[in-house]
Coordinates of all heavy atoms in Angstrom, one line a residue:
M1 N 112.0 95.0 103.2 CA 111.2 93.7 103.0 C 111.6 93.2 101.6 O 111.5 93.8 100.5 CB 109.8 94.1 102.9 CG 108.9 92.9 102.8 SD 107.3 93.3 103.7 CE 106.9 94.8 103.0
A2 N 112.1 92.1 101.5 CA 112.4 91.4 100.3 C 111.1 90.9 99.7 O 110.0 90.8 100.4 CB 113.4 90.2 100.4
T3 N 111.0 90.5 98.4 CA 109.9 89.8 97.8 C 110.2 88.3 97.9 O 111.3 87.9 97.8 CB 109.8 90.3 96.4 OG1 109.9 91.7 96.4 CG2 108.5 89.9 95.8
Y4 N 109.2 87.5 98.0 CA 109.4 86.1 97.8 C 108.4 85.5 96.9 O 107.4 86.2 96.5 CB 109.3 85.4 99.2 CG 107.9 85.2 99.8 CD1 107.5 83.8 99.9 CD2 107.0 86.2 100.1 CE1 106.2 83.6 100.4 CE2 105.8 86.0 100.6 CZ 105.3 84.6 100.7 OH 104.1 84.4 101.2
I5 N 108.6 84.3 96.5 CA 107.7 83.6 95.5 C 107.0 82.5 96.2 O 107.6 81.7 96.8 CB 108.5 83.1 94.3 CG1 109.1 84.3 93.5 CG2 107.6 82.3 93.4 CD1 109.9 83.9 92.4
T6 N 105.7 82.5 96.1 CA 104.8 81.6 96.8 C 104.8 80.2 96.0 O 105.2 80.1 94.9 CB 103.4 82.0 96.9 OG1 102.7 82.0 95.7 CG2 103.4 83.4 97.5
E7 N 104.3 79.2 96.8 CA 104.2 77.9 96.1 C 103.2 77.8 95.0 O 103.1 76.7 94.2 CB 103.8 76.8 97.2 CG 102.6 77.1 97.8 CD 102.3 76.2 99.1 OE1 103.3 75.6 99.5 OE2 101.1 76.0 99.5
D8 N 102.5 78.9 94.7 CA 101.5 78.9 93.5 C 102.2 79.1 92.2 O 101.7 79.1 91.2 CB 100.5 80.0 93.7 CG 99.6 79.7 94.9 OD1 99.3 78.6 95.2 OD2 99.0 80.7 95.5
C9 N 103.6 79.4 92.3 CA 104.4 79.7 91.1 C 104.2 78.4 90.1 O 104.3 77.3 90.4 CB 105.9 79.7 91.5 SG 107.0 79.8 90.1
I10 N 104.0 78.8 88.9 CA 103.8 77.8 87.8 C 105.1 77.7 86.9 O 105.0 77.1 85.8 CB 102.6 78.2 86.9 CG1 102.6 79.6 86.3 CG2 101.3 78.0 87.7 CD1 101.6 79.8 85.3
N11 N 106.2 78.3 87.3 CA 107.5 78.2 86.6 C 107.5 78.7 85.3 O 108.0 78.2 84.4 CB 108.0 76.7 86.6 CG 108.4 76.2 88.0 OD1 109.3 76.9 88.6 ND2 107.9 75.1 88.5
C12 N 106.7 79.8 85.1 CA 106.7 80.3 83.7 C 107.9 81.1 83.3 O 108.2 81.2 82.2 CB 105.4 81.3 83.6 SG 105.7 82.8 84.4
G13 N 108.7 81.6 84.3 CA 109.9 82.2 84.0 C 109.9 83.7 83.7 O 110.8 84.4 83.5
A14 N 108.6 84.2 83.7 CA 108.4 85.6 83.2 C 109.1 86.7 84.1 O 109.6 87.8 83.7 CB 106.9 85.9 83.2
C15 N 109.2 86.4 85.5 CA 109.8 87.3 86.4 C 111.3 87.4 86.3 O 111.9 88.5 86.5 CB 109.4 87.0 87.7 SG 109.8 85.2 88.2
E16 N 111.9 86.3 86.0 CA 113.5 86.3 86.0 C 114.1 87.4 85.3 O 115.0 88.1 85.9 CB 113.9 84.9 85.6 CG 115.4 84.7 85.8 CD 115.9 83.5 85.3 OE1 115.1 82.5 84.8 OE2 117.1 83.2 85.4
P17 N 113.8 87.7 84.0 CA 114.5 88.7 83.3 C 114.1 90.2 83.7 O 114.7 91.0 83.4 CB 114.1 88.5 81.9 CG 112.8 87.7 81.9 CD 112.9 87.0 83.1
E18 N 113.0 90.2 84.5 CA 112.5 91.6 84.9 C 113.2 92.2 86.1 O 113.3 93.4 86.3 CB 111.0 91.5 85.2 CG 110.1 91.1 84.1 CD 110.2 92.0 82.8 OE1 110.2 93.2 83.0 OE2 110.2 91.4 81.7
C19 N 113.9 91.3 86.8 CA 114.5 91.7 88.1 C 115.8 92.6 87.7 O 116.7 92.1 87.0 CB 115.0 90.6 89.0 SG 115.8 91.1 90.4
P20 N 116.0 93.8 88.3 CA 117.1 94.7 87.9 C 118.4 94.1 88.7 O 119.5 94.6 88.3 CB 116.7 96.1 88.4 CG 115.7 95.8 89.5 CD 115.0 94.5 89.0
N21 N 118.2 93.2 89.5 CA 119.4 92.8 90.3 C 119.8 91.3 90.1 O 120.6 90.8 90.8 CB 119.0 92.9 91.8 CG 118.6 94.3 92.1 OD1 119.2 95.3 91.6 ND2 117.7 94.5 92.9
E22 N 119.1 90.7 89.2 CA 119.4 89.3 88.9 C 119.1 88.5 90.2 O 119.9 87.5 90.4 CB 120.7 89.0 88.3 CG 120.8 89.6 87.0 CD 122.1 89.4 86.3 OE1 122.9 88.6 86.7 OE2 122.4 90.0 85.1
A23 N 118.1 88.8 91.0 CA 117.8 88.1 92.3 C 117.0 86.9 92.1 O 116.9 86.1 93.1 CB 117.2 89.0 93.2
I24 N 116.4 86.7 90.9 CA 115.4 85.6 90.7 C 116.1 84.5 89.9 O 116.8 84.8 89.0 CB 114.2 86.1 90.0 CG1 113.5 87.2 90.7 CG2 113.2 84.9 89.8 CD1 112.3 87.9 90.0
S25 N 115.9 83.3 90.4 CA 116.5 82.1 89.6 C 115.5 80.9 89.8 O 114.7 80.9 90.6 CB 117.9 81.8 90.2 OG 117.8 81.5 91.6
E26 N 115.8 80.0 89.0 CA 114.9 78.7 89.0 C 115.4 77.9 90.2 O 116.7 77.5 90.3 CB 115.2 78.0 87.7 CG 114.1 77.1 87.2 CD 114.3 76.6 85.8 OE1 115.1 77.0 85.1 OE2 113.6 75.7 85.5
G27 N 114.6 77.7 91.0 CA 114.9 76.8 92.2 C 114.6 75.3 91.9 O 114.3 74.9 90.8
D28 N 114.7 74.5 93.0 CA 114.5 73.1 92.8 C 113.0 72.7 92.2 O 112.8 71.9 91.4 CB 114.7 72.4 94.0 CG 116.2 72.2 94.5 OD1 117.0 72.4 93.5 OD2 116.5 72.1 95.6
E29 N 112.0 73.4 92.8 CA 110.7 73.1 92.5 C 110.1 74.4 91.8 O 109.2 74.3 90.9 CB 109.9 72.7 93.7 CG 110.4 71.5 94.2 CD 109.7 71.0 95.4 OE1 108.6 71.7 95.8 OE2 110.0 69.9 95.9
I30 N 110.3 75.6 92.3 CA 109.7 76.8 91.8 C 110.8 77.9 91.7 O 111.8 77.7 92.3 CB 108.5 77.3 92.8 CG1 109.1 77.6 94.1 CG2 107.3 76.4 92.7 CD1 108.1 78.3 95.0
Y31 N 110.5 79.0 91.1 CA 111.5 80.1 91.1 C 111.7 80.6 92.4 O 110.8 80.5 93.3 CB 111.0 81.1 90.0 CG 111.5 80.9 88.7 CD1 110.7 79.8 87.9 CD2 112.5 81.6 88.0 CE1 111.1 79.4 86.6 CE2 112.8 81.2 86.7 CZ 112.1 80.2 86.0 OH 112.6 79.9 84.7
V32 N 112.9 81.2 92.7 CA 113.1 81.7 94.1 C 113.8 83.1 93.9 O 114.4 83.4 92.9 CB 114.1 80.8 94.9 CG1 113.4 79.4 95.2 CG2 115.3 80.6 94.0
I33 N 113.8 83.9 95.0 CA 114.4 85.2 95.1 C 115.3 85.3 96.2 O 115.0 84.9 97.2 CB 113.2 86.3 95.3 CG1 112.2 86.3 94.1 CG2 113.9 87.7 95.5 CD1 111.0 87.3 94.3
D34 N 116.5 85.7 95.9 CA 117.6 85.8 96.9 C 117.3 87.1 97.7 O 117.5 88.1 97.0 CB 119.0 85.8 96.2 CG 120.1 85.9 97.3 OD1 119.8 86.3 98.4 OD2 121.3 85.7 96.8
P35 N 117.0 87.1 99.0 CA 116.7 88.3 99.6 C 117.8 89.3 99.8 O 117.7 90.4 100.0 CB 116.2 87.8 101.0 CG 116.7 86.4 101.2 CD 116.8 85.9 99.8
N36 N 119.1 88.6 99.7 CA 120.2 89.5 99.8 C 120.4 90.4 98.5 O 121.2 91.4 98.5 CB 121.5 88.7 99.9 CG 121.4 88.0 101.3 OD1 121.1 88.6 102.3 ND2 121.7 86.7 101.3
L37 N 119.7 90.0 97.4 CA 119.8 90.8 96.2 C 118.6 91.6 95.8 O 118.6 92.3 94.9 CB 120.1 89.8 95.0 CG 121.4 89.0 95.0 CD1 121.6 88.1 93.8 CD2 122.5 90.0 95.1
C38 N 117.6 91.3 96.6 CA 116.2 92.0 96.3 C 116.2 93.4 96.9 O 116.5 93.6 98.1 CB 115.1 91.2 96.9 SG 113.4 91.9 96.6
T39 N 115.9 94.4 96.2 CA 115.8 95.7 96.6 C 114.4 96.2 96.5 O 114.2 97.4 96.7 CB 116.7 96.6 95.8 OG1 116.2 96.5 94.4 CG2 118.1 96.3 95.9
E40 N 113.5 95.3 96.3 CA 112.0 95.7 96.0 C 112.0 96.7 94.9 O 111.0 97.5 94.8 CB 111.4 96.3 97.2 CG 111.3 95.2 98.5 CD 110.7 95.8 99.7 OE1 110.0 96.8 99.6 OE2 111.1 95.2 100.8
C41 N 112.9 96.6 94.0 CA 113.1 97.5 92.9 C 113.2 99.0 93.2 O 113.1 99.9 92.3 CB 112.0 97.4 91.9 SG 111.8 95.7 91.1
V42 N 113.5 99.4 94.5 CA 113.8 100.7 94.9 C 115.0 101.2 94.1 O 116.0 100.6 94.0 CB 114.0 100.8 96.4 CG1 114.6 102.1 96.8 CG2 112.6 100.5 97.1
G43 N 114.8 102.4 93.5 CA 115.8 103.0 92.8 C 115.7 102.7 91.3 O 116.3 103.4 90.4
H44 N 115.0 101.7 90.9 CA 114.8 101.3 89.5 C 113.4 101.5 88.9 O 113.1 101.9 87.9 CB 115.2 99.8 89.2 CG 116.7 99.6 89.3 ND1 117.4 99.3 90.3 CD2 117.7 99.9 88.3 CE1 118.7 99.2 90.1 NE2 118.9 99.5 88.8
F45 N 112.4 101.0 89.8 CA 111.0 101.1 89.4 C 110.1 101.5 90.5 O 110.5 101.3 91.7 CB 110.5 99.7 88.8 CG 111.4 99.2 87.8 CD1 112.2 97.9 88.1 CD2 111.6 99.7 86.5 CE1 113.0 97.4 87.1 CE2 112.4 99.2 85.6 CZ 113.1 98.0 85.9
D46 N 108.9 102.0 90.2 CA 108.1 102.4 91.3 C 107.1 101.3 91.8 O 106.1 101.5 92.3 CB 107.2 103.7 90.9 CG 106.5 103.5 89.8 OD1 106.4 102.4 89.2 OD2 105.9 104.5 89.3
Q47 N 107.3 100.1 91.2 CA 106.6 98.8 91.6 C 107.5 97.7 91.6 O 108.6 97.7 91.1 CB 105.4 98.6 90.7 CG 105.8 98.5 89.2 CD 104.6 98.2 88.4 OE1 103.6 97.9 88.8 NE2 104.9 98.3 87.0
F48 N 107.1 96.6 92.2 CA 107.8 95.4 92.1 C 107.8 94.8 90.7 O 106.7 94.4 90.3 CB 107.2 94.3 93.0 CG 107.3 94.7 94.5 CD1 106.4 95.6 95.1 CD2 108.1 94.2 95.4 CE1 106.3 95.9 96.5 CE2 108.1 94.5 96.8 CZ 107.3 95.3 97.2
A49 N 108.9 94.8 90.0 CA 108.9 94.4 88.6 C 108.3 93.0 88.4 O 107.7 92.6 87.5 CB 110.3 94.5 88.0
C50 N 108.8 92.1 89.4 CA 108.3 90.7 89.2 C 106.8 90.6 89.5 O 106.1 89.8 88.7 CB 109.1 89.8 90.2 SG 109.1 90.4 92.0
Q51 N 106.4 91.3 90.4 CA 104.9 91.2 90.7 C 104.2 91.7 89.6 O 103.0 91.2 89.3 CB 104.6 92.1 91.8 CG 103.4 91.8 92.7 CD 103.3 92.7 93.9 OE1 103.2 93.9 93.8 NE2 103.4 92.1 95.0
A52 N 104.6 92.7 88.7 CA 103.9 93.2 87.7 C 103.7 92.3 86.6 O 102.7 92.4 85.7 CB 104.7 94.5 87.1
V53 N 104.6 91.3 86.4 CA 104.5 90.3 85.2 C 104.0 88.9 85.7 O 103.6 88.1 84.8 CB 105.8 90.1 84.5 CG1 106.3 91.4 83.9 CG2 107.0 89.5 85.4
C54 N 103.9 88.7 86.9 CA 103.6 87.3 87.4 C 102.0 87.0 87.1 O 101.3 87.8 87.6 CB 103.9 87.1 88.8 SG 103.3 85.5 89.4
P55 N 101.8 86.0 86.3 CA 100.4 85.7 86.0 C 99.6 85.1 87.1 O 98.3 85.1 87.0 CB 100.5 84.6 84.8 CG 101.9 84.0 85.1 CD 102.8 85.0 85.7
V56 N 100.3 84.7 88.2 CA 99.4 84.0 89.1 C 99.7 84.7 90.6 O 99.4 84.2 91.6 CB 99.9 82.5 89.3 CG1 99.3 81.8 88.1 CG2 101.3 82.3 89.5
E57 N 100.2 85.9 90.6 CA 100.4 86.7 91.7 C 101.1 86.0 92.8 O 100.7 85.9 93.9 CB 99.0 87.2 92.3 CG 98.3 88.1 91.3 CD 96.9 88.6 91.7 OE1 96.6 88.5 93.0 OE2 96.1 89.1 90.9
S58 N 102.3 85.4 92.3 CA 103.1 84.6 93.2 C 104.2 85.4 93.9 O 105.0 85.0 94.8 CB 103.8 83.4 92.5 OG 102.8 82.4 92.6
C59 N 104.5 86.7 93.5 CA 105.6 87.4 93.9 C 105.1 88.4 94.9 O 104.4 89.5 94.6 CB 106.3 88.3 92.7 SG 106.9 87.1 91.4
L60 N 105.3 88.1 96.2 CA 104.7 88.9 97.3 C 105.8 89.5 98.2 O 106.8 88.9 98.4 CB 103.7 88.1 98.1 CG 102.6 87.4 97.2 CD1 101.7 86.6 98.2 CD2 101.7 88.6 96.6
P61 N 105.4 90.6 98.8 CA 106.3 91.1 99.9 C 106.5 90.1 101.0 O 105.4 89.4 101.4 CB 105.7 92.3 100.4 CG 104.5 92.8 99.4 CD 104.3 91.5 98.6
D62 N 107.7 89.8 101.5 CA 107.9 88.9 102.5 C 107.8 89.4 103.9 O 108.9 90.3 104.2 CB 109.3 88.2 102.3 CG 109.6 87.1 103.3 OD1 108.7 86.8 104.1 OD2 110.6 86.4 103.0
P63 N 106.8 89.1 104.7 CA 106.9 89.7 106.1 C 108.0 89.3 106.9 O 108.2 89.9 108.0 CB 105.4 89.2 106.6 CG 105.1 88.1 105.7 CD 105.8 88.2 104.4
Q64 N 108.7 88.3 106.5 CA 110.0 87.8 107.3 C 111.1 88.7 107.0 O 112.2 88.6 107.7 CB 110.3 86.4 107.0 CG 109.2 85.4 107.1 CD 108.7 85.3 108.6 OE1 109.5 85.3 109.5 NE2 107.4 85.2 108.8
H65 N 111.1 89.5 106.0 CA 112.2 90.4 105.5 C 111.8 91.8 105.4 O 111.8 92.3 104.2 CB 112.7 89.9 104.3 CG 113.6 88.6 104.3 ND1 113.2 87.3 104.1 CD2 114.8 88.4 104.9 CE1 114.0 86.4 104.3 NE2 115.1 87.1 104.8
V66 N 111.3 92.4 106.4 CA 110.9 93.8 106.4 C 112.1 94.7 106.4 O 113.0 94.6 107.3 CB 109.9 94.2 107.6 CG1 109.5 95.6 107.5 CG2 108.7 93.2 107.6
E67 N 112.2 95.6 105.3 CA 113.3 96.6 105.3 C 112.9 97.9 104.9 O 111.9 98.0 104.2 CB 114.4 96.0 104.3 CG 115.0 94.7 104.7 CD 115.8 94.1 103.6 OE1 115.4 93.8 102.5 OE2 117.0 93.8 103.9
S68 N 113.6 98.9 105.3 CA 113.3 100.3 105.1 C 113.7 100.7 103.7 O 114.6 100.0 103.0 CB 114.0 101.2 106.0 OG 115.4 101.2 105.9
E69 N 113.2 101.9 103.2 CA 113.6 102.3 101.8 C 115.0 102.6 101.8 O 115.6 102.4 100.9 CB 112.7 103.5 101.5 CG 113.0 104.0 100.1 CD 112.2 105.3 99.8 OE1 112.2 106.2 100.6 OE2 111.5 105.3 98.8
D70 N 115.4 103.2 102.9 CA 116.8 103.5 103.1 C 117.8 102.3 102.8 O 118.8 102.4 102.1 CB 117.1 104.2 104.4 CG 118.3 105.1 104.4 OD1 118.5 105.8 103.5 OD2 119.1 105.1 105.4
I71 N 117.5 101.3 103.6 CA 118.3 100.1 103.4 C 118.3 99.6 102.0 O 119.4 99.2 101.4 CB 117.7 99.0 104.3 CG1 118.3 99.2 105.8 CG2 118.3 97.5 104.0 CD1 117.6 98.3 106.8
L72 N 117.2 99.6 101.3 CA 117.0 99.1 100.0 C 117.7 99.9 98.9 O 118.4 99.4 98.1 CB 115.5 99.0 99.6 CG 114.7 97.9 100.5 CD1 113.3 98.0 100.4 CD2 115.3 96.5 100.3
I73 N 117.6 101.3 99.0 CA 118.3 102.1 98.1 C 119.9 102.0 98.2 O 120.6 101.9 97.2 CB 118.0 103.5 98.1 CG1 118.5 104.4 97.0 CG2 118.2 104.3 99.4 CD1 118.0 104.0 95.6
N74 N 120.3 101.8 99.5 CA 121.8 101.6 99.7 C 122.1 100.3 99.2 O 123.3 100.0 98.6 CB 122.1 101.6 101.2 CG 122.2 103.1 101.5 OD1 122.9 103.9 100.9 ND2 121.5 103.6 102.5
R75 N 121.3 99.1 99.2 CA 121.6 97.9 98.6 C 121.7 98.1 97.1 O 122.6 97.5 96.5 CB 120.6 96.8 99.0 CG 120.9 95.5 98.4 CD 119.9 94.4 99.0 NE 119.9 94.3 100.4 CZ 119.0 94.1 101.1 NH1 117.7 94.0 100.7 NH2 119.0 94.0 102.4
A76 N 120.7 98.8 96.6 CA 120.8 99.0 95.1 C 122.1 99.7 94.6 O 122.7 99.3 93.7 CB 119.6 99.8 94.7
L77 N 122.5 100.7 95.4 CA 123.9 101.3 95.1 C 125.0 100.3 95.2 O 125.9 100.3 94.4 CB 124.0 102.6 96.0 CG 123.1 103.7 95.8 CD1 123.1 104.7 97.0 CD2 123.3 104.3 94.4
K78 N 125.0 99.6 96.2 CA 126.1 98.5 96.4 C 126.1 97.5 95.2 O 127.2 97.1 94.7 CB 125.9 97.8 97.7 CG 126.5 98.5 98.9 CD 126.7 97.7 100.0 CE 127.0 98.5 101.3 NZ 126.1 98.3 102.3
L79 N 124.9 97.1 94.8 CA 124.8 96.1 93.7 C 125.1 96.7 92.3 O 125.4 96.0 91.4 CB 123.3 95.5 93.7 CG 123.0 94.6 94.9 CD1 121.4 94.4 94.8 CD2 123.7 93.3 94.9
H80 N 125.0 98.0 92.2 CA 125.3 98.7 91.0 C 126.3 99.8 91.0 O 126.0 101.0 90.9 CB 124.0 99.1 90.4 CG 122.9 98.1 90.2 ND1 122.9 97.4 89.1 CD2 121.9 97.8 91.0 CE1 121.8 96.5 89.3 NE2 121.2 96.8 90.3
P81 N 127.6 99.5 91.5 CA 128.5 100.6 91.8 C 128.9 101.4 90.6 O 129.3 102.6 90.8 CB 129.8 99.7 92.3 CG 129.5 98.3 91.7 CD 128.0 98.2 91.6
D82 N 128.6 100.9 89.4 CA 128.9 101.7 88.2 C 127.8 102.5 87.6 O 127.9 103.1 86.6 CB 129.5 100.8 87.2 CG 130.9 100.1 87.7 OD1 131.6 100.7 88.5 OD2 131.1 99.0 87.3
D83 N 126.7 102.4 88.3 CA 125.4 103.0 87.6 C 125.4 104.5 88.2 O 124.9 104.8 89.2 CB 124.3 102.3 88.2 CG 123.0 102.8 87.5 OD1 122.9 103.9 87.0 OD2 122.0 102.0 87.3
D84 N 126.0 105.4 87.4 CA 126.1 106.8 87.8 C 124.7 107.5 87.9 O 124.5 108.4 88.7 CB 127.0 107.6 86.7 CG 128.4 107.1 86.9 OD1 128.8 106.6 87.9 OD2 129.2 107.2 85.8
E85 N 123.8 107.0 87.0 CA 122.5 107.6 87.1 C 121.7 107.3 88.3 O 121.2 108.1 88.9 CB 121.7 107.2 85.8 CG 120.3 107.9 85.7 CD 119.5 107.4 84.6 OE1 120.0 106.6 83.7 OE2 118.3 107.7 84.6
L86 N 121.9 106.1 88.7 CA 121.2 105.6 90.0 C 121.9 106.4 91.1 O 121.1 106.9 92.1 CB 121.4 104.1 90.2 CG 120.9 103.5 91.5 CD1 119.4 103.7 91.5 CD2 121.4 102.0 91.7
R87 N 123.2 106.5 91.1 CA 123.8 107.4 92.3 C 123.4 108.8 92.3 O 123.0 109.3 93.3 CB 125.4 107.2 92.0 CG 126.1 107.9 93.2 CD 127.6 107.4 93.2 NE 127.6 106.0 93.3 CZ 127.5 105.2 94.5 NH1 127.2 105.8 95.6 NH2 127.6 104.0 94.5
R88 N 123.3 109.4 91.1 CA 122.7 110.8 91.0 C 121.3 110.9 91.6 O 121.1 111.8 92.4 CB 122.8 111.3 89.6 CG 124.1 112.0 89.2 CD 124.0 112.7 87.9 NE 123.5 112.1 86.8 CZ 124.2 111.3 86.0 NH1 125.5 111.3 86.2 NH2 123.8 110.6 84.9
K89 N 120.5 109.9 91.1 CA 119.1 110.1 91.7 C 119.1 109.8 93.2 O 118.3 110.5 93.9 CB 118.3 109.0 91.0 CG 118.0 109.2 89.6 CD 117.2 108.1 89.0 CE 116.8 108.3 87.4 NZ 116.2 107.1 87.0
A90 N 119.8 108.9 93.6 CA 120.0 108.7 95.1 C 120.4 109.9 95.9 O 119.9 110.2 96.9 CB 120.8 107.4 95.5
E91 N 121.4 110.5 95.4 CA 122.0 111.7 96.0 C 121.0 112.9 96.0 O 120.9 113.6 97.0 CB 123.2 112.1 95.4 CG 124.5 111.2 95.7 CD 125.7 111.5 94.9 OE1 125.7 112.4 94.0 OE2 126.8 110.8 95.2
A92 N 120.1 112.9 95.0 CA 119.2 113.9 94.8 C 117.8 113.6 95.6 O 116.9 114.4 95.7 CB 118.8 114.3 93.4
N93 N 117.9 112.4 96.2 CA 116.7 111.9 96.8 C 115.5 111.8 95.9 O 114.4 112.2 96.3 CB 116.4 112.5 98.2 CG 115.4 111.8 99.0 OD1 115.2 110.5 98.9 ND2 114.6 112.5 99.8
D94 N 115.7 111.5 94.6 CA 114.6 111.6 93.6 C 114.8 110.3 92.8 O 115.5 110.3 91.7 CB 114.9 112.9 92.7 CG 113.8 113.0 91.7 OD1 112.7 112.4 91.8 OD2 114.0 113.7 90.8
Y95 N 114.3 109.3 93.2 CA 114.4 107.9 92.6 C 113.0 107.2 92.6 O 112.2 107.4 93.5 CB 115.5 107.2 93.1 CG 115.5 106.9 94.5 CD1 114.6 106.0 95.2 CD2 116.3 107.8 95.4 CE1 114.7 105.7 96.6 CE2 116.2 107.6 96.8 CZ 115.4 106.6 97.4 OH 115.4 106.4 98.7
P96 N 112.8 106.3 91.7 CA 111.6 105.5 91.8 C 111.5 104.7 92.9 O 112.6 104.0 93.3 CB 111.6 104.7 90.4 CG 112.9 105.0 89.8 CD 113.7 106.0 90.5
S97 N 110.4 104.4 93.6 CA 110.2 103.5 94.7 C 108.8 103.3 95.0 O 108.0 104.3 95.0 CB 110.9 104.3 95.9 OG 110.5 103.6 97.1
H98 N 108.5 102.0 95.3 CA 107.1 101.8 95.6 C 106.7 102.4 96.9 O 105.4 102.6 97.2 CB 106.9 100.2 95.6 CG 107.4 99.5 96.9 ND1 106.8 99.5 98.1 CD2 108.7 98.9 97.0 CE1 107.5 98.8 98.9 NE2 108.7 98.5 98.3
F99 N 107.6 102.9 97.8 CA 107.3 103.5 99.0 C 106.7 104.9 98.6 O 106.0 105.5 99.5 CB 108.6 103.8 99.7 CG 109.1 102.5 100.4 CD1 110.0 101.8 99.8 CD2 108.7 102.1 101.7 CE1 110.5 100.6 100.4 CE2 109.2 101.1 102.3 CZ 110.1 100.2 101.6
R100 N 107.0 105.4 97.4 CA 106.7 106.8 97.1 C 105.4 106.8 96.1 O 105.1 107.9 95.8 CB 107.8 107.5 96.6 CG 109.0 107.5 97.4 CD 110.2 108.1 96.8 NE 111.3 108.0 97.7 CZ 112.3 108.8 97.8 NH1 112.4 109.8 96.9 NH2 113.3 108.7 98.7
S101 N 105.1 105.8 95.5 CA 104.0 105.7 94.5 C 102.6 105.6 95.1 O 102.4 105.4 96.3 CB 104.3 104.6 93.5 OG 104.2 103.4 94.1
Ligands
SF4_201 FE1 106.6 81.8 89.0 FE2 105.3 84.2 88.8 FE3 107.8 84.1 88.4 FE4 106.2 82.8 86.6 S1 106.4 85.1 87.1 S2 108.2 82.1 87.5 S3 104.6 82.0 88.0 S4 106.8 83.6 90.3

């Protein structure tokens, strides 16, 4: 499940630098999340990093993009091919994930 930004977004920009995958950008009217880059922070954090900083609770799980933890950790590995620590954690099945918190 990717995360998406609701129309309540006030364009504060707080979420953009928090994303480990640079999935968040300024859209035409509000900030947007690229679902192809969103990993729900699996592998990096045990919560949605954008959700944690959004002052108006606009970063929400997208019911239109439901994905398993397995798919998301594999996406994280593809997005960060040089991150040896992430790879080690994934191989040990010991990585941060909101599915496990
Ligand atoms: Fe919009 Fe929330 Fe991101 Fe601020 S943190 S830009 S209000 S989605």
Side-chain angles (χ1 to χ4, degrees):
M1 183 150 53
T3 313
Y4 80 115
I5 294 176
T6 73
E7 59 187 18
D8 293 333
C9 171
I10 55 171
N11 287 309
C12 72
C15 53
E16 186 179 1
E18 300 301 318
C19 178
N21 307 318
E22 298 183 3
I24 301 175
S25 59
E26 208 171 345
D28 289 340
E29 293 180 6
I30 58 172
Y31 276 72
V32 292
I33 297 178
D34 182 342
N36 297 312
L37 298 178
C38 180
T39 57
E40 301 177 24
C41 295
V42 166
H44 288 94
F45 307 116
D46 60 7
Q47 60 181 342
F48 297 77
C50 54
Q51 201 173 68
V53 298
C54 180
V56 291
E57 297 180 15
S58 272
C59 303
L60 299 178
D62 184 354
Q64 304 298 321
H65 285 102
V66 177
E67 293 172 304
S68 68
E69 184 183 55
D70 205 40
I71 285 174
L72 293 166
I73 188 67
N74 279 306
R75 180 174 301 144
L77 289 166
K78 275 195 195 127
L79 291 171
H80 302 277
D82 300 327
D83 189 334
D84 293 334
E85 189 185 343
L86 178 64
R87 185 160 304 280
R88 267 197 303 277
K89 286 180 182 173
E91 285 171 359
N93 193 24
D94 183 18
Y95 52 84
S97 165
H98 72 85
F99 288 89
R100 305 171 181 210
S101 59

